[in-house]
Amino acid sequence: METGQTVTPIPQWNIVVIAAIAAGIQFGWALQLSLLTPYVQTLGVPHVWAAFIWLCGPISGLVVQPIVGYSSDRCTSRIGRRRPFIAAGACFVAIAVFMIGFAKDIGHRSGDSLQNPTKPRAVAIFVTGFWILDVANNMLQGPCRAFLADLSSNDHKRMRIANAWFSFFMAVGNVLGYAAGSFSGLHKLLPFTQTTACDVYCANLKTCFIIDIVFLLSITITAITTVKETPITRKEAGDEEDNEGRSSGRAFFAELVMAFKTLKKPMWLLLLVTCLNWMAWFPFLLYDTDWMGAEVYGGKVKGSASQQKLYDEGVRAGALGLMINSIVLAFASLGLEPVSRLIGGVKNMWGVVNLILAACLAGTVWVTKVAEAWRGEHGPQILTPPPTSIKTSALALFGLLGIPLA
């Protein structure tokens, strides 16, 4: 995303206010990662199809962010070129979150049977809302970062400070989101969320998303009303296109392909390792709380009432683990630069943290086997949480994974 416009340096608090939007964005992401995979299974969607639903994130990131970035760079709206996209993104997030949280209620009113394990109407509403949410999050995040670059006035030091604030507020949003997801009594704040079609777990998720809507909209409205933006004229937008060789007349993705063709071998190796890195990350990020509920705690989404309760306890424990992960992430981010100097540079640091990632993911297999062995000793019918040692080991893995995530 471009930042060709040069503006007079503005007060530091403007950067902080815009960066704070990251807390609202990340609050919603945290809720998605901790609660939605277990929730979608209560709608009757099996594990394998739940993974397909999550494909929206990478697809929207690949397609939506470049298009939104290109469009906002050339937006000539009288209220600025970033703020219209930020406002629209926040509104779409609110709509999508409402659809997800109230999917069971809307599906039930539309004809879904409470006795049928699969709720097709609720699934359709959920999937639609989920895809809108991922698109809207990408639509919101890109212009926020570009706005920070605009406000930094091409000053590299101010840009580093702006990015530091953005990362800080992402960590704040993560902690708040995972903390909300780990609290089992949150629905008591909004008693109307528990309905005939929506049980306690669903009501907690619904309450979390209502809080997310209020939180994100409050931050966004404050930011776009207090921080002003100088609009660009059509001539300035046209000049930017001329400086880029009339890129608007060429296909954007054709330019992207040309950029890849010019990459050197070391960069291709870097991208390959990064690809493998995220292939390792995504299964954990999608199924971490489900892993705690089903594999570590031994609960079931569609078992008896006791098994469902045990599963819910595991999911909340997983959300607690993700909160610990975010806290470690925040501190590890601050320590990356000095530690990398101690161990010989960024390349060595990157190699070490990838080894930590591999060891921790292998550790999840070990924790699963230990939990299964414990249940085997006490009989498969045991419906109590695992001992403290197993829970502590699982939470320790969540915490350690904050280091490579940083």
Side-chain angles (χ1 to χ4, degrees):
M1 200 175 271
E2 302 163 25
T3 58
Q5 186 182 16
T6 302
V7 295
T8 304
I10 47 85
Q12 184 72 29
W13 68 264
N14 285 21
I15 289 177
V16 174
V17 170
I18 294 299
I21 296 176
I25 298 171
Q26 208 63 28
F27 190 103
W29 278 116
L31 293 176
Q32 280 183 266
L33 293 173
S34 61
L35 299 179
L36 287 192
T37 295
Y39 175 68
V40 76
Q41 291 176 66
T42 68
L43 302 178
V45 179
H47 270 76
V48 62
W49 291 108
F52 281 106
I53 295 173
W54 279 93
L55 279 174
C56 176
I59 292 172
S60 63
L62 179 68
V63 176
V64 176
Q65 281 214 30
I67 293 174
V68 169
Y70 185 88
S71 301
S72 73
D73 284 338
R74 291 152 184 78
C75 177
T76 56
S77 167
R78 59 187 178 85
I79 64 171
R81 56 177 176 172
R82 313 300 184 193
R83 292 195 296 172
F85 290 90
I86 293 173
C91 290
F92 279 117
V93 167
I95 293 169
V97 163
F98 178 85
M99 291 176 66
I100 292 171
F102 287 81
K104 277 190 173 182
D105 293 312
I106 299 172
H108 177 57
R109 288 180 178 273
S110 302
D112 280 345
S113 171
L114 295 178
Q115 285 70 42
N116 190 344
T118 302
K119 300 169 176 58
R121 295 169 182 82
V123 170
I125 295 164
F126 171 85
V127 171
T128 303
F130 186 84
W131 279 65
I132 293 173
L133 179 60
D134 266 1
V135 169
N137 274 328
N138 281 296
M139 181 180 176
L140 181 57
Q141 188 166 330
C144 278
R145 288 185 179 275
F147 200 0
L148 289 174
D150 294 341
L151 295 174
S152 299
S153 306
N154 294 324
D155 185 322
H156 294 295
K157 181 179 179 181
R158 288 173 67 86
M159 191 62 223
R160 286 198 301 272
I161 293 172
N163 279 326
W165 278 113
F166 196 86
S167 297
F168 171 78
F169 281 112
M170 286 180 68
V172 169
N174 270 336
V175 171
L176 292 175
Y178 294 139
S182 65
F183 184 45
S184 61
L186 201 62
H187 68 284
K188 295 177 182 177
L189 296 175
L190 302 173
F192 67 87
T193 56
Q194 189 171 357
T195 63
T196 304
C198 190
D199 58 12
V200 172
Y201 179 81
C202 169
N204 273 322
L205 179 137
K206 192 189 300 183
T207 303
C208 286
F209 277 134
I210 291 173
I211 294 171
D212 179 38
I213 291 173
V214 175
F215 183 52
L216 176 61
L217 291 182
S218 299
I219 294 175
T220 304
I221 291 170
T222 301
I224 64 178
T225 55
T226 58
V227 180
K228 303 303 179 185
E229 186 181 8
T230 304
I232 63 170
T233 64
R234 293 186 181 276
K235 182 178 182 304
E236 289 172 321
D239 288 343
E240 288 191 358
E241 290 182 359
D242 287 337
N243 292 335
E244 294 173 1
R246 286 289 177 191
S247 61
S248 61
R250 298 181 298 176
F252 174 82
F253 289 101
E255 293 181 28
L256 191 63
V257 171
M258 289 299 296
F260 276 116
K261 287 183 178 179
T262 62
L263 290 179
K264 304 295 184 182
K265 183 179 179 181
M267 184 59 73
W268 276 111
L269 291 173
L270 181 68
L271 293 176
L272 175 61
V273 175
T274 302
C275 176
L276 295 173
N277 187 298
W278 280 102
M279 285 175 64
W281 267 116
F282 265 97
F284 179 78
L285 293 174
L286 298 188
Y287 294 109
D288 42 24
T289 54
D290 180 69
W291 169 69
M292 283 290 283
E295 305 293 338
V296 180
Y297 273 65
K300 292 184 179 179
V301 178
K302 295 195 174 297
S304 64
S306 298
Q307 289 173 323
Q308 290 180 19
K309 182 181 177 182
L310 193 61
Y311 179 83
D312 291 346
E313 286 184 31
V315 168
R316 289 196 297 273
L320 174 62
L322 288 170
M323 185 179 72
I324 296 170
N325 175 274
S326 299
I327 294 171
V328 174
L329 165 63
F331 283 102
S333 298
L334 297 175
L336 282 179
E337 188 170 343
V339 172
S340 68
R341 287 198 297 267
L342 289 174
I343 64 174
V346 174
K347 183 171 70 173
N348 291 344
M349 166 69 79
W350 197 52
V352 169
V353 297
N354 276 317
L355 292 175
I356 293 174
L357 171 61
C360 287
L361 293 180
T364 62
V365 178
W366 173 75
V367 170
T368 297
K369 296 299 182 183
V370 172
E372 288 177 350
W374 176 80
R375 286 193 294 273
E377 290 175 3
H378 293 79
Q381 75 282 358
I382 187 169
L383 295 173
T384 58
T388 304
S389 59
I390 294 177
K391 290 187 286 186
T392 303
S393 298
L395 293 176
L397 291 177
F398 276 93
L400 288 171
L401 282 167
I403 298 172
L405 191 59

